[in-house]
Amino acid sequence: MTSQSAGPGRTGRRGGDSGTREAILDAARKRFAAHGYDGATIRGIAGDAGVDPALVHHFFGTKERLFTAAVRLPVVPGELISSALAAGAADPGGSLGEHLVLTALSAWDVAEIRETFLGLLRSAATSEQALIMLREFVTEAIVGRLAAAADTTDPAQARYRAALVASQVVGLGIARQVLGLEPLAEAGRAELAAAVGPALDRYLTGDLG
Amino acid sequence: MTSQSAGPGRTGRRGGDSGTREAILDAARKRFAAHGYDGATIRGIAGDAGVDPALVHHFFGTKERLFTAAVRLPVVPGELISSALAAGAADPGGSLGEHLVLTALSAWDVAEIRETFLGLLRSAATSEQALIMLREFVTEAIVGRLAAAADTTDPAQARYRAALVASQVVGLGIARQVLGLEPLAEAGRAELAAAVGPALDRYLTGDLG
C-alpha cells in the first residue's frame, strides 16, 4: 500500500508496457488511499495515470484485480472464494467449510505473504483512510461473495454469517502467518481444515442459537 | 507500545508515586521491546528505572500485569481467562465457549480499545521485536491459560486447541473492534456469544476430525 513518491506525470513517454503498468498501479494506490475502495473508479485512476480507461481494463480487468495488484496480494480473494464455493459445493469428499480453509491455506503458501499481510496491517493501523479502504474491500469482495453461500432468506443474516466466516479466516491468517503462533503455525493443512472447516460450515448454514 | 523519549534517569528525585510509576513503565516498554516478553525480567526493568525490584512488584504485582499496563491494555487477558474458565465451568446457563466470548466482548467495551488494538498492530507490523514480544505474550498469557480448559491428555494437543480458540477471538476482535466489519460490528453480545461460543467449545473439547 506504499506509494512511490515520484510517479510519472500525465505527459511524457512511458517505458513500454511495464512503465505504463507501474504508472497505473501508482495512480491506483493513491486513489484507493484517498477515495477508498468503493469511491475509487477505473476512470479516475486512468485519468491520474494519463492513460485511457480501456488500457486499465486491458492490463488489470476488474477494479478488484487492480486493487489486488496495487496492494500486492498474491491472489484475488473474491475469485478464489467463488471457485471454492463452486468446487466445495460439488466436492463429495469434504465440506464447503473445509474447502474454504484449504483454499485460504493454499493461497497463503507463498514466500511474500507475511510481508504482504504486515504491509496491510501497517497501513490500516497507521491511516484511517487505509483502514476504510480495507474494510470496504473486505465487505464487498470477501463478505459479499461468502454471503452467497450462507443459508438464509434474509440478506442481512447472510452477511452476518459471512462476516463470522471472515472473522475466523482473518484470525487464522494472523495467528498462523503473521504472529506465527505455535502449534497452529506448524499444523498441516488437512489437520486445520478438519478442525476449522466445520466451524465455518456452522457459521454459513448451521443453527446460530 | 510507544516509549517516551525523555524518561527519568537513574538518579535524581522522582515526582512522587506517579513519577516512579511512569519511570517503571517507560523502562518496561523499552526492555520488553528489546528482550521480548519472555526475556524481560522485573529485576532488569527495575534496574533500568533505578528502583528496587520490590517497588515494581509493589506497583504492578506480576510481570503479566506490568506488561499489560505498559502496552495499555484495559484488562489483564490471562486473569480474565482464568476467571472466565472458573465461572464458565460453574455456570449452568451457558457453555464455556459462550462465557469466553462474553468475557472478551465485555473487556473490549471501553472507549480506548480501538486505539490500543491499532497501537499493538502498528507496533507488531513495524518492528519484528514487537511482533516477537506479542507472540510470546499471547503464547504464555493467553494460549497457556486456555490450554488448561482443553480436553486432552496430550499437552501439545491442548495448546493446539487453545491456539484455535485464540485465532477465532483475535479474528473477532479485529473484525469487530478494528475493521468495524458490518453487520458483525453492530451485533449484540448475546447474539455473538450464541454464534461463536459453540465453535470455541468444539475447539476446546470437541472432535477435531
Side-chain angles (χ1 to χ4, degrees):
Chain A
M1 212 110 45
T2 54
S3 297
Q4 288 159 19
S5 52
R10 278 168 186 253
T11 57
R13 296 183 64 80
R14 305 270 171 229
D17 273 7
S18 138
T20 308
R21 203 173 180 282
E22 278 311 309
I24 293 168
L25 285 174
D26 190 40
R29 285 185 197 108
K30 287 174 180 154
R31 197 161 264 263
F32 280 127
H35 298 266
Y37 181 72
D38 293 344
T41 61
I42 295 268
R43 177 166 298 276
I45 290 164
D48 290 351
V51 302
D52 193 271
L55 196 63
V56 179
H57 283 292
H58 168 71
F59 275 119
F60 296 99
T62 60
K63 181 163 92 170
E64 186 178 1
R65 286 188 177 184
L66 175 57
F67 178 85
T68 300
V71 303
R72 301 188 177 84
L73 285 175
V75 291
V76 184
E79 296 181 3
L80 216 62
I81 290 169
S82 294
S83 310
L85 294 182
D91 181 4
S95 74
L96 177 55
E98 286 176 53
H99 202 77
L100 284 170
V101 176
L102 287 173
T103 300
L105 293 174
S106 304
W108 298 339
D109 193 17
V110 293
E112 66 272 24
I113 195 67
R114 184 163 182 274
E115 207 37 64
T116 297
F117 281 171
L118 285 172
L120 283 170
L121 287 178
R122 197 159 43 232
S123 304
T126 308
S127 146
E128 187 67 24
Q129 271 302 110
L131 188 78
I132 291 168
M133 177 187 76
L134 194 61
R135 176 198 302 149
E136 290 177 352
F137 179 72
V138 171
T139 299
E140 180 169 330
I142 297 181
V143 172
R145 303 278 179 106
L146 284 170
D151 177 32
T152 178
T153 51
D154 175 355
Q157 179 73 357
R159 296 186 76 85
Y160 175 61
R161 289 175 176 275
L164 287 169
V165 170
S167 80
Q168 173 61 91
V169 175
V170 163
L172 188 61
I174 288 185
R176 183 174 164 94
Q177 310 294 145
V178 177
L179 209 53
L181 195 64
E182 297 296 358
L184 200 65
E186 71 194 1
R189 287 191 205 172
E191 185 185 7
L192 275 173
V196 177
L200 303 192
D201 288 324
R202 184 173 152 277
Y203 288 155
L204 285 175
T205 59
D207 175 12
L208 297 186
Chain B
M1 213 112 46
T2 54
S3 297
Q4 287 161 17
S5 55
R10 280 170 183 253
T11 57
R13 298 184 63 83
R14 308 266 171 230
D17 274 6
S18 138
T20 308
R21 203 172 180 283
E22 278 311 309
I24 293 169
L25 285 174
D26 191 41
R29 284 182 198 111
K30 288 175 180 152
R31 197 161 266 263
F32 281 128
H35 298 266
Y37 181 71
D38 293 345
T41 61
I42 294 268
R43 179 167 296 275
I45 290 164
D48 291 352
V51 302
D52 193 90
L55 197 62
V56 179
H57 284 291
H58 168 71
F59 275 119
F60 296 98
T62 60
K63 181 163 91 169
E64 186 178 0
R65 286 188 177 184
L66 175 57
F67 179 86
T68 299
V71 302
R72 301 186 178 86
L73 285 175
V75 292
V76 183
E79 295 181 3
L80 215 62
I81 290 168
S82 294
S83 310
L85 294 182
D91 181 3
S95 74
L96 178 54
E98 287 175 54
H99 201 78
L100 283 170
V101 176
L102 287 172
T103 301
L105 294 173
S106 304
W108 298 339
D109 193 18
V110 293
E112 67 272 23
I113 196 68
R114 185 163 182 273
E115 208 37 65
T116 297
F117 280 172
L118 285 173
L120 283 171
L121 287 178
R122 197 158 46 230
S123 304
T126 308
S127 145
E128 186 66 24
Q129 272 300 113
L131 188 78
I132 291 169
M133 178 186 76
L134 194 60
R135 176 199 303 150
E136 290 177 353
F137 179 71
V138 171
T139 299
E140 180 169 330
I142 298 181
V143 172
R145 301 279 178 107
L146 284 171
D151 177 29
T152 178
T153 50
D154 175 355
Q157 179 71 359
R159 295 184 77 83
Y160 175 62
R161 288 174 175 276
L164 287 168
V165 171
S167 79
Q168 173 61 91
V169 175
V170 164
L172 188 61
I174 288 183
R176 183 173 164 96
Q177 310 294 145
V178 177
L179 210 51
L181 195 65
E182 296 298 356
L184 201 64
E186 71 193 1
R189 287 191 205 172
E191 185 184 7
L192 275 174
V196 178
L200 303 192
D201 288 323
R202 184 174 152 275
Y203 288 155
L204 285 174
T205 58
D207 177 11
L208 298 186

